[in-house]
Amino acid sequence: MAQLSPARPVLVVAAPGDTQDSILAAVTAQELEAEVIVEPERLAGPWRTAATVIVADDLAEKVAARALPHREDVFLVGQRTDLLSAWSAPLAARVIPLPEGAAWLGAVLGEGSSRTRAPVVAVLGGSGGVGASTLAAALAQLSAARSPSGAALVDADPLGGGIDLLLGAERVQGWRWPRLNAAAGHLGDLRSYLPVVDGVSVVSMARGSELDLAREPLAAIVGSLRAWHSMVVLDPGRSGGLGARESLRLSTRQLVVVAATVRGVAAARELLASTDAERAELVVRRGRGSLAASLVGEALGRPVVAELPDEPGLVAAAERGEPPARGSRRRYRRAVTALVARLQAGVADG
Ligand SMILES: Nc1ncnc2c1ncn2[C@@H]1O[C@H](COP(=O)(O)OP(=O)(O)O)[C@@H](O)[C@H]1O
Ligand SMILES: [Mg+2]
């Protein structure tokens, strides 16, 4: 959950100057604490305990000379491409070039901090029209209902018709995806820029335009959303494009909604074979004459984490722009609430 414990500090090894300023701006934007060290002789303790280590290019050589023990989450940051490539391997550090990597740096800091245990849940449809986007919206809504920090819903499906329509969010003021996609630099708390419906911050792609979801902005946006919400739900759609692949990479849980029919199972099998959803868990969507959930799970060789009832009222609700978990759809809401609890518990256990 978002606010479980105070974040461990970020270790910043950088001399005063532009690079140090950029790093500290990114740390501040994520509301994290920085411990700044200018003399690498004093590194040994904080090197072990920091959540994330950021080394500026100009001090990289001195840090490497200390022969510190190997650790994860070390990043080498700066403008000097020669220094970045020379010292990346000795420090076992990933390189973030500035200024173009500023948003990426923010995401990395967000991921490393303990505030960011919020699950990132990608919801895929095993076949078209099975209710994946509806489930994504309902998960975000019911997760928001349990937590004061709210939830976030990211529409990464260029062909999906816009998840903001499903929530009635297109009538609410706020940024849409294209402006975020163009946003360079640091992403702090995005909540104040986004339309919010029922406690759900909605990041929505523009309808009707071809968008190149470059990898860095989606990672940066999810990183930021994750720091500020109790759950981030991604709707990658079925186009299999860059945004969909990146959504799967960024997710901590992958749900595939499967229609409990022979054809639904066959379609889901194709989907599982053709995408990188190695960790997929199944949500079985029931309907008339449907197969038992256990049979669906066996056929696909994946665990079943929820069963969704057929809820005819959802169709009209979607047309009216009424969020799926509002209104009197009790059985559907009960099933999704149980799934939210399971997703949150899974993160806390792990
Ligand atoms: N559990 C359900 N029972 C009945 N209809 C549903 C259910 N879930 C979604 N729907 C309806 O099915 C249609 C497709 O839903 P959508 O969530 O857009 O599917 P997908 O994203 O998988 O293509 C919508 O009209 C929606 O209201
Ligand atoms: Mg959809």
Side-chain angles (χ1 to χ4, degrees):
M1 299 260 289
Q3 58 290 69
L4 272 181
S5 58
R8 284 185 296 153
V10 177
L11 173 59
V12 176
V13 191
D18 287 350
T19 301
Q20 194 201 69
D21 290 349
S22 301
I23 297 169
L24 293 180
V27 173
T28 308
Q30 297 289 329
E31 290 209 337
L32 297 170
E33 295 280 319
E35 175 169 3
V36 181
I37 288 196
V38 176
E39 290 135 20
E41 298 74 47
R42 296 180 34 240
L43 262 180
W47 179 270
R48 275 199 315 277
T49 56
T52 309
V53 177
I54 312 288
V55 179
D57 50 8
D58 49 348
L59 287 181
E61 182 171 5
K62 285 190 181 167
V63 174
R66 307 299 306 168
L68 294 155
H70 173 84
R71 60 155 292 160
E72 300 290 317
D73 298 320
V74 179
F75 297 88
L76 182 56
V77 176
Q79 304 204 18
R80 292 271 309 270
T81 44
D82 56 331
L83 295 178
L84 295 176
S85 54
W87 296 107
S88 157
L91 291 172
R94 286 162 71 193
V95 165
I96 301 180
L98 293 178
E100 63 272 28
W104 179 239
L105 177 59
V108 154
L109 289 168
E111 274 171 27
S113 85
S114 61
R115 279 196 289 108
T116 60
R117 287 194 216 144
V120 179
V121 183
V123 184
L124 295 153
S127 45
V130 74
S133 296
T134 305
L135 176 61
L139 275 175
Q141 256 188 297
L142 292 170
S143 179
R146 285 163 53 109
S147 156
S149 52
L153 179 61
V154 180
D155 179 1
D157 179 6
L159 306 178
I163 218 164
D164 50 344
L165 286 176
L166 203 53
L167 284 173
E170 85 283 3
R171 293 187 292 269
V172 182
Q173 281 292 319
W175 282 13
R176 293 298 188 274
W177 182 266
R179 273 190 72 186
L180 294 172
N181 199 28
H186 310 294
L187 296 172
D189 182 0
L190 288 174
R191 277 177 303 188
S192 53
Y193 301 109
L194 297 170
V196 178
V197 176
D198 289 7
V200 178
S201 307
V202 184
V203 178
S204 197
M205 307 199 34
R207 282 173 293 282
S209 66
E210 278 278 327
L211 283 164
D212 173 24
L213 258 176
R215 173 190 166 103
E216 192 174 292
L218 189 57
I221 286 167
V222 169
S224 168
L225 293 171
R226 212 182 167 194
W228 296 103
H229 297 90
S230 61
M231 182 183 288
V232 180
V233 185
L234 309 177
D235 181 4
R238 290 174 45 80
S239 68
L242 185 59
R245 289 202 304 276
E246 181 66 350
S247 297
L248 289 175
R249 192 186 72 80
L250 293 168
S251 60
T252 60
R253 302 288 286 258
Q254 302 169 339
L255 304 179
V256 176
V257 185
V258 188
T261 61
V262 172
R263 291 188 64 211
V265 169
R269 185 178 290 125
E270 291 303 316
L271 175 94
L272 289 169
S274 65
T275 54
D276 315 325
E278 313 83 16
R279 293 165 285 139
E281 299 166 288
L282 307 178
V283 174
V284 175
R285 160 80 191 279
R286 310 206 60 91
R288 270 189 297 267
S290 61
L291 302 170
S294 57
L295 217 57
V296 174
E298 265 168 48
L300 294 171
R302 307 289 174 118
V304 175
V305 289
E307 285 184 58
L308 294 178
D310 189 47
E311 188 69 75
L314 280 171
V315 179
E319 289 303 306
R320 287 196 301 273
E322 179 183 300
R326 240 190 244 165
S328 59
R329 294 170 284 277
R330 283 205 191 78
R331 283 186 316 139
Y332 187 78
R333 220 168 34 221
R334 212 164 32 234
V336 180
T337 300
L339 179 55
V340 167
R342 192 159 178 165
L343 294 168
Q344 296 286 12
V347 169
D349 298 344

